[in-house]
Amino acid sequence: MNQLGLLVTDMVYDEALDFNEEGYALVKYGEFYNFINEQGEEVFEYISPFYDSVAIAKQDGKYALVDETGKLLTQTWYDMIYEEEVYWNAGVTRARLNGKYVLLGLDGIERSEYYDGILDGDLPDYYSYDEDGEFSDALEEKDTILFWSDGWYGMRNVQGEMVVRPE
């Protein structure tokens, strides 16, 4: 029902929250989420389950991050945003746009340049050589993400800072 008490949609949802200031209500049906406007129209094609008040929204075949009010957190609509729990636990995710990958914070801010690839799956503990060519296990304690571009590999931490330059 809208704020005037008028039924704006059929009774098809398992759960529905109140309309917020933006005029959206979060609804759930089965395992799926969406937002409806005050006319009862669904706002997005798809909303993933929320993780720490952030979800992936799909619209016109593109993906963005949204919060629980329906506010877009990303300014870019990506070809894909990946739902990988280990990344989300670290506060980041991978996004793909035009065949390139970027490290994306759950706040919607891009934390890296675009690369040919970013490792999917677990965030492994990598070992590497330091600047003197000595074997170092210093990277073992950092949440590092392997990426590659133009045949060169490097690592960034989950904050997006360069740990090992791609060379």
Side-chain angles (χ1 to χ4, degrees):
M1 299 179 82
N2 66 15
Q3 293 179 354
L4 300 174
L6 301 173
L7 191 63
V8 296
T9 184
D10 293 332
M11 308 262 274
V12 296
Y13 300 106
D14 297 325
E15 295 178 40
L17 298 180
D18 291 335
F19 285 99
N20 59 30
E21 294 175 6
E22 290 80 24
Y24 298 130
L26 179 63
V27 294
K28 181 179 180 186
Y29 46 102
E31 295 296 314
F32 300 99
Y33 292 86
N34 211 325
F35 290 93
I36 58 171
N37 61 24
E38 291 182 352
Q39 290 75 43
E41 302 162 329
E42 291 187 348
V43 178
F44 300 105
E45 292 171 24
Y46 164 82
I47 298 278
S48 72
F50 282 87
Y51 182 86
D52 280 348
S53 73
V54 176
I56 300 171
K58 180 180 180 185
Q59 186 66 35
D60 297 327
K62 297 286 188 172
Y63 298 85
L65 295 178
V66 295
D67 67 13
E68 289 180 322
T69 69
K71 177 184 172 193
L72 289 176
L73 300 176
T74 52
Q75 294 183 354
T76 302
W77 284 86
Y78 298 92
D79 298 330
M80 177 60 77
I81 297 178
Y82 296 88
E83 294 180 63
E84 294 165 315
E85 184 176 349
V86 67
Y87 278 89
W88 286 63
N89 287 339
V92 295
T93 189
R94 296 180 309 137
R96 186 183 77 235
L97 181 63
N98 299 325
K100 298 285 187 172
Y101 295 81
V102 67
L103 186 62
L104 182 63
L106 296 185
D107 55 5
I109 297 173
E110 293 180 355
R111 295 193 181 168
S112 74
E113 292 82 26
Y114 282 78
Y115 296 109
D116 293 335
I118 296 177
L119 181 72
D120 58 349
D122 291 337
L123 296 176
D125 294 328
Y126 287 101
Y127 293 88
S128 185
Y129 293 92
D130 62 21
E131 291 125 10
D132 299 324
E134 297 294 320
F135 191 69
S136 170
D137 62 359
L139 296 177
E140 179 182 16
E141 298 175 7
K142 299 182 181 182
D143 285 330
T144 55
I145 299 168
L146 180 68
F147 65 90
W148 57 92
S149 194
D150 297 325
W152 299 100
Y153 291 82
M155 285 184 271
R156 288 188 174 269
N157 64 21
V158 295
Q159 290 77 33
E161 300 161 338
M162 188 70 68
V163 175
V164 175
R165 296 211 166 280
E167 49 190 28

